[in-house]
Amino acid sequence: MSNAPDSDVLIVGGGLSGLPLALACAQGGLSVTVIDALDPATVTDAAFDGRVSAIALASCRMLDSLGVTAHLEGQMQPINDIMVSDGRVREGASPLFLHFDHKEIGAEPLGNLIENRHVRIAMQKAVEAEPLIRLIAPRFVKHVEYGARVTATLDNGEEVTARLCFAADGRNSPTREAAGIRTVGWDYGQTGIVCTVEHELPHEGVAQEYFLPGGPFAILPMVGNRSSLVWTEKTADAKAILALGDEAFADEMRARFGDYLGACAPTGPRWSYPLTLQLARDYVRPRLALIGDAAHGIHPIAGQGLNLGLRDVAAAAEVVVDAARLGLDIGALDVLERYQRWRRFDNVALSLLMDGLNRLFSNDIGPVRLARDLGLGIVQQIGPARRFFMRHAGGVVGDLPRLLKDETV
Ligand SMILES: Cc1cc2nc3c(=O)[nH]c(=O)nc-3n(C[C@H](O)[C@H](O)[C@H](O)COP(=O)(O)OP(=O)(O)OC[C@H]3O[C@@H](n4cnc5c(N)ncnc54)[C@H](O)[C@@H]3O)c2cc1C
């Protein structure tokens, strides 16, 4: 009987981080087993996740290289411009604003907005077409044992072995907890309400980040005359808003949305997400590495959570594929520490920046309001500063892994 493990890599969690990681590892010649607790049909159902993700330019390049965007035809809404402004409910925006226009840094858009449901469907199709990946779902990983290899025990008693385990099992990562990796973080006392709005006029690919005292109100253009809202409120207010009848909910929505896109109305279900910050102290242990929200759950204020996860994917895949090419043990701690060094600082820095922005803007204190409005107005006047922020939003700066540079792993 062969003593080889079932696959090179085991990924616990086949969500928006786990599936691209499987594709990236397989592109590098590694065999992969992905286990997810949920049925693939459930997670792509229209009722499961109403969110739309802002996927930065560099992340889109990676999804291209992994064969995901080939399944997204007609589902990607380019982000041409981003408008940032401050305001109050029913009073409209401050005259000082910040306008990011993609044409200032090149012909390509700043990224694309794609419904999570369609991203999941496209990732699943790309995974199905990859012979090196085995997806086991719905199955729950109950226990993982680390030694000369990794052995995962599933809820039906089946055992799966591998050289390395990636935990891509989300914010509450049971795999991280069981490995004794601690987290730091806090609750924002805010909830993100998500819904789709239909409007009369075209949005022209302009995303709006409108800062209101309860929290940011993001209007994200979708394909067609539709936009997705990420409407942040203090949790008690969010509960009250979510409990409103359809007409009263639409009135509250319009009081913030305004009429710049003509007549508008919410459509379809409402979703809500409690907002917290959660950062893992360590990303690696022998034969274990954390990826995506398992490593860092952040505030969605600038739509960066998944983008950070996709950067983790690109870096982790490159590190383990390079190690395998050199004949090294891909689960060895010194190999995995290269991934940790590459990603941890970037993730912590961006998470704290998002935290700071949320604190700066989610209040109605007069002098703070004046200072932040002036700040927006000043950055608007300085071309190099605007371009700096746009390049960062597009994810095209820093020490980028190959997959984020339009190359293969
Ligand atoms: C309101 C809101 C808006 C957002 N907007 C954006 C945006 O515009 N752009 C952006 O970049 N990011 C955005 N984000 C962040 C983004 O949605 C997350 O970062 C991303 O979904 C995390 O993906 P993940 O795969 O790491 O974790 P998850 O999506 O949590 O997936 C974890 C998976 O692990 C599985 N699992 C868990 N435990 C087990 C187990 N024991 N065994 C097997 N499987 C298991 C689960 O079933 C699940 O499928 C937003 C977040 C919120 C809340």
Side-chain angles (χ1 to χ4, degrees), residues 374-387:
L374 285 172
L376 290 180
I378 290 168
V379 177
Q380 173 63 20
Q381 298 308 316
I382 305 173
R386 280 200 312 276
R387 290 190 280 279

Side-chain angles (χ1 to χ4, degrees), residues 187-193 212-216 231-242 256 272-275 299 358-359 361-365:
D187 188 334
Y188 286 109
Q190 291 174 318
T191 294
I193 302 170
L212 296 169
W231 170 0
T232 310
E233 291 285 353
K234 293 184 180 67
T235 293
D237 296 344
K239 272 191 189 144
I241 290 169
L242 284 162
R256 293 158 177 80
S272 66
Y273 300 86
L275 303 182
H299 197 289
N358 184 51
R359 282 170 203 277
F361 282 97
S362 298
N363 67 72
D364 202 16
I365 304 165

